Amino acid sequence: MDQLTSDIFSILENNFLFGPSGSPTKKQPPSVAGKVRVLSIDGSGSTDGLLAAKAIQHLESSLRIKSGISGAHISDFFDVVSGSGVGGVLAALLFTKQKDGEPLFTADEAEKFVSENGHKLTRFSKRGKFKKLLGSETKGAKLFGKTFNDLTLKDTLKAVLIPCYDLNTGAPFVFSRADAVEMDGCDFKMSDVCAATSAASSPVVTVSVDKRTKISAVTGELAMNNPTAMAITHVLNNKQEFPFCNGVEDLIVVSLGNGEPFCGVSGNQTPSRTAFVKIVGETVSDTVDQAVSMAFGQSRTSNYARVQANKGFTRSEKSNKGSEMDMLKMTETMLTQKSVESVLFQGKKCSRTNLEKLEIFATEIVKETERRKTDILPTVVLRQSTSSSSPRTSSATTLSITSSN
């Protein structure tokens, strides 16, 4: 009965989240062309992005050992990356390429960047309001400008998806490599993309490279703190780049959380409006995790991994720069915690530790990488850059952008 119930709800979840994927009475067989590998990174959470950065560091190290390639990068093993807020900054650091074709940052360098700057990207003041990005929008722009220079979405190594919220249209806006290579009006500087997805205190006016698209952006954590469903939808509806991916059975998804939200309240205190935003954002992240987990059905243990900390830790308001080492130790502890998984009609349960999950999925990802060396059919066919002078308005670039590619 449990198997039948799971199969029924897997079909319902697939159709609800990702659209019809075939006969409602027959499960789609895995693609003969292999599996698309997806990495999704949440917004800041209580660890200001450090938990995800540490998880990526461990994952890259494990991938290097299992593949036997000592200089491999995390971008070598994933076909799609999505990130929101600080998670979007991490995605940009790890998947934007330099002139020599190598990614800008290794996992170790990205972890150091987040350790030094993550707490400045989204932090509450004693009054429950966000502090300004890196002290001021100007300083934030300078940091990202110095990091990325003139590199744009077209200069990314794999399919990249980074959301923000556009106040002009009142809808999410997704910075997408697939759109950037198709239309100049969708190509943005990576420095502007990072500023937009992490704009916590005030809107950031963001203009495309060709000056034809203009948005008023605030943090992607408001739009979708957990961008996993967006990434999966993008893959399943993008037949040009992922021609043989027909269902969740054709995916390997690693979704990285960043701990429970720090809301600046405790006990019987009434949360501020900003605190409520953080609470809602994290609740939606958990809901996305549960919906995605149910969509994978019986394959969720082999095709979908969610790395997230259990409850019990929040950053103290009194924390300062001297506590960064404590934060690093705490995130290491979080990775050794047993992971919480959604179970159909049974709430949540603790299973393997987060580190064990990362090890298991590193093995599966390397297997897929090795399989492709002898495969005839292309699992991924990334679009190449073209030039288009067609105008593009931000009203058309919302969530639908990921389902039309």
Side-chain angles (χ1 to χ4, degrees):
M1 187 64 184
D2 289 342
Q3 178 66 45
L4 176 60
T5 303
S6 178
D7 286 345
I8 291 172
F9 273 82
S10 292
I11 292 168
L12 291 175
E13 290 287 354
N14 268 299
N15 288 333
F16 173 72
L17 277 175
F18 317 123
S21 59
S23 171
T25 59
K26 185 177 181 181
K27 193 175 183 180
Q28 288 282 353
S31 172
V32 294
K35 297 176 181 178
V36 177
R37 305 158 302 178
V38 179
L39 176 65
S40 179
I41 313 171
D42 280 18
S44 59
S46 65
T47 64
D48 299 327
L50 196 54
L51 178 59
K54 274 291 181 184
I56 292 171
Q57 194 177 33
H58 279 281
L59 185 57
E60 184 176 88
S61 176
S62 182
L63 289 168
R64 286 177 173 180
I65 294 171
K66 293 178 185 298
S67 67
I69 307 173
S70 59
H73 299 86
I74 197 76
S75 58
D76 297 329
F77 297 96
F78 285 93
D79 307 304
V80 182
V81 63
S82 62
S84 183
V86 178
V89 176
L90 269 170
L93 294 173
L94 295 165
F95 284 80
T96 304
K97 64 182 176 181
Q98 307 179 65
K99 291 182 179 180
D100 61 2
E102 294 292 307
L104 282 175
F105 279 48
T106 63
D108 289 343
E109 292 167 341
E111 184 273 334
K112 183 179 179 181
F113 182 95
V114 171
S115 177
E116 294 176 351
N117 302 299
H119 66 286
K120 302 173 186 177
L121 297 178
T122 50
R123 181 188 278 187
F124 291 101
S125 69
K126 292 182 180 180
R127 293 175 293 178
K129 296 181 179 180
F130 284 116
K131 287 186 176 180
K132 286 191 174 183
L133 175 66
L134 296 176
S136 73
E137 306 296 347
T138 302
K139 289 182 180 180
K142 286 183 178 180
L143 174 68
F144 292 133
K146 182 179 179 180
T147 302
F148 295 98
N149 296 310
D150 292 327
L151 297 173
T152 74
L153 278 167
K154 290 181 180 181
D155 297 309
T156 49
L157 292 157
K158 302 292 178 66
V160 173
L161 300 163
I162 300 176
C164 67
Y165 189 84
D166 181 15
L167 294 177
N168 289 338
T169 60
F173 184 102
V174 180
F175 297 102
S176 167
R177 178 193 181 278
D179 291 310
V181 299
E182 183 176 319
M183 289 176 288
D184 290 338
C186 294
D187 191 23
F188 293 80
K189 287 186 176 181
M190 292 307 295
S191 57
D192 292 340
V193 171
C194 289
T197 197
S198 59
S201 61
S202 58
V204 172
V205 176
T206 308
V207 183
S208 61
V209 175
D210 68 353
K211 311 298 183 184
R212 300 176 75 89
T213 306
K214 181 178 180 181
I215 64 173
S216 179
V218 291
T219 177
E221 295 180 37
L222 290 178
M224 52 190 85
N225 193 53
N226 179 350
T228 307
M230 173 189 69
I232 295 173
T233 304
H234 174 80
V235 174
L236 295 182
N237 290 279
N238 185 350
K239 291 302 180 183
Q240 291 188 30
E241 294 189 318
F242 312 102
F244 300 104
C245 189
N246 298 313
V248 292
E249 298 84 6
D250 301 327
L251 300 171
I252 298 177
V253 179
V254 177
S255 175
L256 304 179
N258 269 308
E260 296 296 316
F262 169 61
C263 303
V265 295
S266 60
N268 296 322
Q269 289 181 288
T270 301
S272 66
R273 291 183 179 181
T274 307
F276 272 123
V277 169
K278 293 289 284 184
I279 293 170
V280 170
E282 193 60 33
T283 301
V284 172
S285 292
D286 290 341
T287 303
V288 169
D289 171 40
Q290 185 166 351
V292 170
S293 180
M294 295 304 100
F296 275 88
Q298 293 299 310
S299 65
R300 67 180 180 274
T301 57
S302 59
N303 292 51
Y304 174 64
R306 174 68 172 170
V307 173
Q308 177 63 300
N310 294 329
K311 293 182 179 180
F313 170 74
T314 55
R315 176 190 285 274
S316 169
E317 262 191 279
K318 295 181 181 180
S319 63
N320 50 43
K321 292 182 179 179
S323 67
E324 287 181 6
M325 186 59 66
D326 293 334
M327 282 290 293
L328 290 171
K329 291 180 180 178
M330 183 57 67
T331 52
E332 290 285 1
T333 301
M334 288 177 171
L335 288 175
T336 63
Q337 291 178 339
K338 285 192 173 183
S339 179
V340 177
E341 289 185 354
S342 300
V343 182
L344 195 64
F345 296 137
Q346 298 178 33
K348 295 184 176 182
K349 71 173 184 180
C350 290
S351 59
R352 305 180 181 94
T353 67
N354 287 318
L355 281 178
E356 287 173 339
K357 273 191 174 182
L358 291 173
E359 286 293 319
I360 291 170
F361 274 75
T363 299
E364 294 303 313
I365 290 167
V366 170
K367 284 181 181 178
E368 170 60 23
T369 304
E370 291 298 316
R371 188 202 60 76
R372 293 186 186 184
K373 292 180 180 179
T374 58
D375 195 11
I376 299 175
L377 296 174
T379 305
V380 180
V381 185
L382 287 181
R383 296 181 186 180
Q384 300 303 311
S385 180
T386 59
S387 180
S388 171
S389 60
S390 300
R392 181 83 171 192
T393 60
S394 60
S395 61
T397 315
T398 62
L399 272 179
S400 62
I401 199 171
T402 60
S403 62
S404 61
N405 293 332

